[in-house]
Amino acid sequence: MQSSINRDGFLPLDPDELVEEGELPFPDAAADTAREKAEQSLHHLQRELRLLRARMGLLREDAEAALKAKATSVDANAHVQLGSYPWLKLAVATGMAFVLVRAIRRMPFGVLLGGLDGHVSQTRRW
């Protein structure tokens, strides 16, 4: 610690002049400084959190808009390809395919091979 007399030989008017550089003027200053740093860090993290939430909100809105646009595009393509009531026509086609597969599975294996026999003999002749 410096002496209480300054260069001119007088007592200093400012009490901070009595403290050496880097030395705290009173013991609670370290706690206040650490508390202030912690509060600053907390405020910084809270600000970053708010920014991240805002960015996530923007991304969520963009994703929703993209999904809606894609759904509209798919619906328009279905109407172009299948005409009016495309989903009903697609459901009927899927149901018919299911029924046809069930019917083929119930057929005896020999009947299926008998139907293929003519095709196999035709390919051997070539």
Side-chain angles (χ1 to χ4, degrees):
M1 189 168 194
Q2 294 179 345
S3 76
S4 58
I5 298 176
N6 63 12
R7 294 182 198 163
D8 300 325
F10 300 108
L11 287 172
L13 298 175
D14 186 12
D16 288 339
E17 291 183 19
L18 293 173
V19 179
E20 288 184 20
E21 192 173 323
E23 185 178 324
L24 297 174
F26 45 91
D28 291 339
D32 290 340
T33 306
R35 186 177 303 126
E36 288 173 2
K37 286 181 181 178
E39 286 176 1
Q40 287 176 353
S41 177
L42 178 64
H43 290 299
H44 178 72
L45 290 173
Q46 288 173 341
R47 180 174 178 266
E48 288 292 322
L49 184 61
R50 284 192 306 269
L51 288 173
L52 287 173
R53 284 183 179 157
R55 288 179 187 156
M56 285 176 48
L58 290 174
L59 289 174
R60 187 176 294 122
E61 290 172 5
D62 288 347
E64 288 175 3
L67 286 175
K68 286 178 184 177
K70 184 66 176 174
T72 304
S73 172
V74 167
D75 189 48
N77 286 338
H79 281 285
V80 167
Q81 293 175 2
L82 299 174
S84 57
Y85 304 109
W87 304 113
L88 178 63
K89 291 177 181 178
L90 190 61
V92 169
T94 305
M96 293 298 289
F98 176 76
V99 169
L100 184 64
V101 167
R102 295 281 291 208
I104 290 174
R105 284 189 176 174
R106 289 185 179 176
M107 293 178 79
F109 193 64
V111 173
L112 290 175
L113 288 180
L116 291 176
D117 186 33
H119 294 292
V120 173
S121 64
Q122 288 292 330
T123 55
R124 286 186 184 170
R125 290 184 189 165
W126 289 93

